[in-house]
Amino acid sequence: MTSTASPNNAQSRPGTVFRVVSGNFMEMFDFFLFGFYATAIASAFFPSGDELASLMMTFMTFGAGFLMRPLGAIFLGAYVDRVGRRKGLIVTLALMAMGTLLIACVPGYATIGYAAPLLVLTGRLLQGFSAGVELGGVSVYLAEMATPGRKGFYVSWQSASQQVAVVAAAALGFGLNKWLTPAQVGEWGWRIPFFVGCMIVPVLFVIRRSLQETEEFMARKHRPEVKEIFRSMLNNWALVVSGMMLVAMTTVSFYLITVYTPTFGKSVLHLTTSAALIVTLCVGVSNFIWLPVMGALSDRVGRRPLLLCFSALAILTAYPALHWLVNSPSFAHMLEVELWLSFLYASYNGAMVVALTEVMPVEVRTVGFSLAYSLATAVFGGFTPAIATGLIEYTGDKSAPGWWMTFAAACGLCATLVLYRRQRLRGAETPAEGMAA
């Protein structure tokens, strides 16, 4: 590990950012595909005389992957904090690839019966286990390689890479809907993007293998044993729970405006599939622009002001925006509402991810971040498509998903107040790290 190859070498930083977030792109690409093609997957693996029941089963399988995230955060996170960031990121990519290949290749229910949904569920569980530490590993790596005073900007590229995945998946889906008939997409066309993902994996392995370990980790003299890491997590359980609440706003809004958007556009607003995918693509572009901008702004004004401001705006506007949309559905109105929600999400998340790396104890930074993030995704975000679908069915209110986002934003607001009060009491607030009041 020579210093010339170090991630802290200014000349190598853009390339290092690209290498570290490349696997993060793959993870999100696969997750989005499952949501984008929920209707086709429901028909292939969860046939039912009730279309709603079939769709709900698909979304529950999608959400089941998130239940594995906390386990991945604990076991893989402890591995990363023990042996290094680089090795951990390679392991997570391998597990993600296995899950994607399984989903792409499994025959449908009509061919192998109940084994089909069980194998798809296994693929989702593998993806969820690896994802449990992927975001944390990438975020911690970027935080540790960042230049002083620019940590928010660098860490924001973790989330920005996800938006590239949204754009790529939506663009691929839009192309398939133009080239194939709806029947062809539903029967076999939906598998094509999954195979594309499988073909990208070898390239990503080559890219990630060239990563160097961060200087901050290499300089650390004490590498905690697994039992020390677990003990620290137990001692800091309140911090992990507060971190989970902080992430709730991010994960709910993210899956609401990306994974659930195509289904919402088609099933609720009765727009065309192409229209819903174009909106999703635009949301991904919007997120990609705002995330680094707000990450950089948080370096100047602090994390806390942005977190408070945009969680409050989400509380005030999420439901009214969706209510206006469902009462006047159109492509233009859906685009306007989704871009507003995108702005709220990206502005909050641009400050949130780096804030979460800063509040975690340094010796268990990866497992602490990953556990808080994974619990939030498992409890709140991962089941957002299923919860949104269920809320609409139960209440009869097509804008009911707005209440779910409002609740998540309230969690984020409360967590921000608790965490920064805790930081102030501990005397850990430093403007250089974005902890300005």
Side-chain angles (χ1 to χ4, degrees):
M1 305 293 181
T2 62
S3 60
T4 57
S6 167
N8 286 340
N9 185 325
Q11 293 182 341
S12 68
R13 274 201 188 89
T16 300
V17 170
F18 171 76
R19 286 192 289 272
V20 74
V21 303
S22 60
N24 197 43
F25 161 87
M26 188 66 233
E27 177 207 330
M28 290 298 108
F29 182 76
D30 292 335
F31 269 49
F32 299 146
L33 288 179
F34 203 96
F36 286 160
Y37 292 104
T39 303
I41 292 173
S43 176
F45 299 112
F46 303 96
S48 168
D50 185 338
E51 183 177 345
L52 175 64
S54 181
L55 188 60
M56 284 294 290
M57 284 296 296
T58 303
F59 280 141
M60 291 300 287
T61 301
F62 177 77
F66 294 97
L67 295 179
M68 289 295 289
R69 282 195 174 203
L71 291 177
I74 293 171
F75 292 102
L76 292 178
Y79 174 79
V80 173
D81 279 327
R82 175 64 182 164
V83 306
R85 317 312 188 197
R86 176 184 175 276
K87 290 182 180 179
L89 291 175
I90 293 174
V91 169
T92 60
L93 181 59
L95 290 171
M96 175 60 66
M98 291 169 59
T100 301
L101 184 62
L102 189 57
I103 293 174
C105 296
V106 172
Y109 179 88
T111 303
I112 60 174
Y114 289 109
L118 288 176
L119 288 171
V120 169
L121 177 61
T122 301
R124 285 291 300 132
L125 295 179
L126 277 173
Q127 288 181 329
F129 188 73
S130 68
V133 80
E134 172 71 20
L135 296 180
V138 170
S139 300
V140 168
Y141 191 103
L142 293 173
E144 292 183 351
M145 62 156 282
T147 53
R150 301 195 69 193
K151 189 179 290 186
F153 174 74
Y154 274 96
V155 175
S156 69
W157 288 102
Q158 176 265 104
S159 298
S161 68
Q162 298 177 16
Q163 315 316 312
V164 178
V166 173
V167 172
L172 189 54
F174 179 79
L176 287 175
N177 277 279
K178 289 296 183 183
W179 300 326
L180 303 175
T181 66
Q184 289 174 322
V185 172
E187 186 176 348
W188 54 268
W190 64 269
R191 294 181 185 267
I192 294 176
F194 284 95
F195 283 118
V196 170
C198 293
M199 289 187 290
I200 295 173
V201 168
V203 179
L204 298 182
F205 268 114
V206 173
I207 292 173
R208 273 214 168 161
R209 281 178 63 85
S210 64
L211 277 175
Q212 304 297 312
E213 189 54 78
T214 66
E215 286 185 355
E216 182 175 332
F217 182 83
M218 294 294 290
R220 197 170 302 149
K221 295 181 179 180
H222 177 64
R223 309 284 174 82
E225 299 288 344
V226 173
K227 62 181 181 181
E228 293 180 72
I229 293 174
F230 288 170
R231 189 183 306 118
S232 179
M233 286 296 93
L234 288 174
N235 292 338
N236 289 281
W237 67 269
L239 178 61
V240 171
V241 171
S242 298
M244 176 187 73
M245 303 297 282
L246 187 72
V247 179
M249 160 66 180
T250 278
T251 188
V252 167
S253 57
F254 180 63
Y255 285 102
L256 189 67
I257 65 176
T258 56
V259 173
Y260 183 63
T261 289
T263 300
F264 186 74
K266 290 182 295 182
S267 302
V268 179
L269 302 181
H270 304 296
L271 301 179
T272 65
T273 299
S274 295
L277 287 172
I278 289 174
V279 170
T280 307
L281 190 152
C282 292
V283 166
V285 173
S286 171
N287 291 344
F288 182 81
I289 293 171
W290 285 116
L291 280 162
V293 169
M294 291 304 179
L297 182 61
S298 76
D299 287 327
R300 297 180 63 86
V301 305
R303 324 297 183 208
R304 183 173 178 269
L306 293 184
L307 295 174
L308 292 175
C309 173
F310 289 101
S311 56
L313 277 175
I315 292 171
L316 294 173
T317 65
Y319 180 82
L322 283 178
H323 185 71
W324 174 73
L325 173 60
V326 299
N327 282 288
S328 184
S330 70
F331 170 79
H333 288 173
M334 184 179 184
L335 182 60
E336 291 175 29
V337 169
E338 292 286 336
L339 288 179
W340 169 247
L341 298 181
S342 162
F343 175 65
L344 295 179
Y345 153 76
S347 300
Y348 180 89
N349 195 63
M352 188 283 297
V353 177
V354 66
L356 193 58
T357 68
E358 291 168 344
V359 300
M360 291 297 166
V362 64
E363 68 277 4
V364 290
R365 183 176 287 160
T366 302
V367 67
F369 180 106
S370 299
L371 185 57
Y373 208 109
S374 297
L375 286 171
T377 309
V379 175
F380 299 104
F383 289 98
T384 287
I387 290 172
T389 302
L391 282 173
I392 292 172
E393 179 69 17
Y394 179 75
T395 65
D397 181 1
K398 295 180 179 180
S399 51
W403 290 124
W404 181 233
M405 183 170 172
T406 300
F407 169 74
C411 291
L413 181 67
C414 294
T416 299
L417 295 173
V418 169
L419 282 171
Y420 281 89
R421 180 176 181 273
R422 185 175 188 269
Q423 292 295 108
R424 186 177 291 111
L425 291 175
R426 294 179 61 184
E429 214 171 50
T430 57
E433 292 295 287
M435 296 290 192

